[in-house]
Amino acid sequence: MYTIQISFEEEGLMPISLTNVEGGQTLLEVAVNNNIPLQHQCGGVCSCTTCHVYVEKGMARIREMNRREEDYLGRVKGANMESRLACQSLLLEDRGEISIRIPDQRRYLKNT
Ligand code: FES
């Protein structure tokens, strides 16, 4: 089981701590299942970048990035070595602590 700390760049959103999170699911699935605001406009098939997150702790507990994810992350403004697409970030069947930071999601909602 994992403990996942989630912080937000959007002002006014308080950090969240999730405990007893099972491996074998993606960070996007964890977010959706816990009503955490994280956009996923392509439905989680690695065809957009709206699920971009920063993994600040625990990257080794997430499946390695593939070429497609790497290509999409290359299009994300502000991406860095901590960047992952949540829909591609599968938690390994293990346990431990992961900390992620979610960029301000309002940028994706401006014209909707
Ligand atoms: S939801 Fe579109 S790339 Fe993750």
Side-chain angles (χ1 to χ4, degrees):
M1 295 288 191
Y2 284 91
T3 298
I4 302 181
Q5 310 288 340
I6 302 171
S7 63
F8 301 90
E9 291 184 351
E10 182 177 337
E11 282 183 36
L13 294 183
M14 300 301 291
I16 294 171
S17 180
L18 302 174
T19 56
N20 298 320
V21 177
E22 291 189 22
Q25 56 184 333
T26 66
L27 288 174
L28 177 61
E29 290 170 326
V30 171
V32 169
N33 291 338
N34 289 282
N35 297 316
I36 291 165
L38 179 58
Q39 292 293 307
H40 46 283
Q41 292 181 1
C42 75
V45 295
C46 199
S47 295
C48 70
T49 58
T50 56
C51 67
H52 170 233
V53 299
Y54 298 100
V55 178
E56 298 178 317
K57 181 178 179 183
M59 186 71 91
R61 300 193 180 283
I62 297 172
R63 183 179 62 189
E64 282 187 28
M65 188 182 305
N66 62 26
R67 176 67 64 90
R68 183 176 174 89
E69 181 183 359
E70 194 174 337
D71 286 347
Y72 272 88
L73 279 173
R75 308 172 191 185
V76 175
K77 186 178 178 189
N80 63 28
M81 296 298 287
E82 296 180 334
S83 292
R84 292 298 303 264
L85 295 178
C87 70
Q88 302 302 304
S89 298
L90 183 70
L91 302 179
L92 302 176
E93 299 284 354
D94 199 349
R95 69 176 87 141
E97 285 188 34
I98 290 176
S99 297
I100 66 171
R101 176 167 43 93
I102 296 179
D104 192 332
Q105 299 281 290
R106 292 176 296 181
R107 78 180 81 169
Y108 304 123
L109 303 173
K110 284 182 179 163
N111 297 318
T112 59

